[in-house]
Amino acid sequence: MDKDAAPITLDKLPLKQGGAIIEVDWALLDERDARRLRELGVDEGVSVEKLHKGPFGIDPIACRIGRMTVALRTAQAAAITVGPTRT
């Protein structure tokens, strides 16, 4: 992600681009999904890269979050805002 790029939600981030999580809107997620994402290390400042989309370009979305590769639903990815990586 270009260092001057505007923040964008993870579901709209182009494939093979990465950045850093700048905000997670936990209120958009149900309790179970929020707990799962927290357990996977989704938090502000963590690096993220969108790797693949599911068939027909919808669910699931494969992302590298930190050092893990995680499958997310589009609705979950829409709660995660990504910005340029801080150096």
Side-chain angles (χ1 to χ4, degrees):
M1 180 173 232
D2 185 14
K3 69 177 187 173
D4 296 325
I8 188 170
T9 56
L10 182 55
D11 61 316
K12 295 177 181 157
L13 186 70
L15 291 176
K16 308 296 183 189
Q17 286 199 18
I21 297 173
I22 59 172
E23 180 181 25
V24 181
D25 190 347
W26 299 110
L28 291 178
L29 302 168
D30 66 36
E31 184 178 327
R32 183 176 173 192
D33 289 343
R35 183 177 56 239
R36 176 179 172 259
L37 292 180
R38 285 185 178 109
E39 289 172 352
L40 291 172
V42 173
D43 201 0
E44 293 176 15
V46 175
S47 65
V48 63
E49 180 182 3
K50 189 172 178 180
L51 300 174
H52 305 282
K53 286 183 176 179
F56 311 111
I58 308 176
D59 285 331
I61 298 170
C63 300
R64 182 172 295 124
I65 298 175
R67 295 185 301 172
M68 295 185 296
T69 301
V70 177
L72 300 174
R73 296 187 185 277
T74 302
Q76 296 167 334
I80 300 170
T81 303
V82 178
T85 303
R86 295 181 191 151
T87 54

